[in-house]
Amino acid sequence: MSSPLPSSPAAASVLDLAPVVPVVVVDDLADAVPLAKALVAGGLPAIEVTLRTPVALDAIRAIAAEVPGAVVGAGTVVTAGQVAEVVAAGARFLVSPGWTDALLEAMRTSGVPFLPGVSTTSEVVALLERGVREMKFFPAEAAGGTAYLKALAAPLPQARFCPTGGITPASAPKYLALPNVGCVGGSWMLPKDAVSGRDWGRVAALAREAAGLSAGGTSR
């Protein structure tokens, strides 16, 4: 991460804001603000809006402007041009599924915290060599899950991760129990039927349960 979050002095990075970072795909711009408000009400302030839909940039802009309790970030950032766009829209952190030197340089000079994606030991070592210690581990389950991250902890203890991809409420505590995991990313608190039905109360309740997850599976 490049710098502490500006309005969260107690948090050194996105990894420390909450045990779970919701990974959000916004299809209808009208859902962006109420969805974010429900997540914040449930105790999940760090919200990753993925750049997978045409309204993603506008969703980031709306959440940044209208949900003061949210720390909105951009996910699925894969080009240097996207870095500039999402920061201009109000993104407070950046997440990529992978990285190149060009993308890393753009994220590093953006002025906001970032989590470049890794799935192999060599990628982790390459980022450490470049001074980056906090990363997204993706796709977590497909790339080896908790066993892989546990194996990395001994030789590379300086690296910290936000595993994302295939994580569930049942598996999240197993990830959170690892010394090199700061938080996990997931979307289980945003079931499609709840979002399509605009059942924000249900989203808030699921977010509250996620916010209470810890290594033991109980409230922190």
Side-chain angles (χ1 to χ4, degrees), residues 169-177 208-220:
S171 62
K174 299 174 184 177
Y175 282 94
L176 294 170
R208 194 169 295 113
E209 292 176 4
L213 289 176
S214 68
T218 58
S219 296
R220 288 185 166 187

Side-chain angles (χ1 to χ4, degrees), residues 31-133:
D31 293 338
V33 168
L35 185 155
K37 287 181 176 178
L39 292 173
V40 172
L44 299 180
I47 301 170
E48 176 189 336
V49 176
T50 65
L51 301 182
R52 301 181 194 175
T53 68
V55 301
L57 271 177
D58 287 332
I60 291 170
R61 193 174 289 111
I63 293 170
E66 300 179 45
V67 190
V71 179
V72 63
T76 323
V77 177
V78 295
T79 70
Q82 287 177 327
V83 171
E85 289 178 337
V86 298
V87 172
R92 303 268 299 284
F93 64 93
L94 310 170
V95 184
S96 68
W99 65 277
T100 64
D101 282 321
L103 178 58
L104 186 66
E105 181 61 20
M107 291 193 293
R108 192 193 297 273
T109 59
S110 69
V112 300
F114 58 92
L115 291 172
V118 297
S119 61
T120 69
T121 305
S122 293
E123 291 169 331
V124 176
V125 171
L127 283 178
L128 291 174
E129 188 177 71
R130 290 160 172 80
V132 178
R133 295 189 175 188

Side-chain angles (χ1 to χ4, degrees), residues 169-211:
S171 62
K174 299 174 184 177
Y175 282 94
L176 294 170
L178 299 175
N180 55 353
V181 169
C183 64
V184 300
S187 56
W188 70 82
M189 72 295 301
L190 297 162
K192 290 184 178 180
D193 59 336
V195 175
S196 63
R198 294 184 165 90
D199 188 350
W200 308 126
R202 182 181 172 199
V203 170
L206 290 171
R208 194 169 295 113
E209 292 176 4

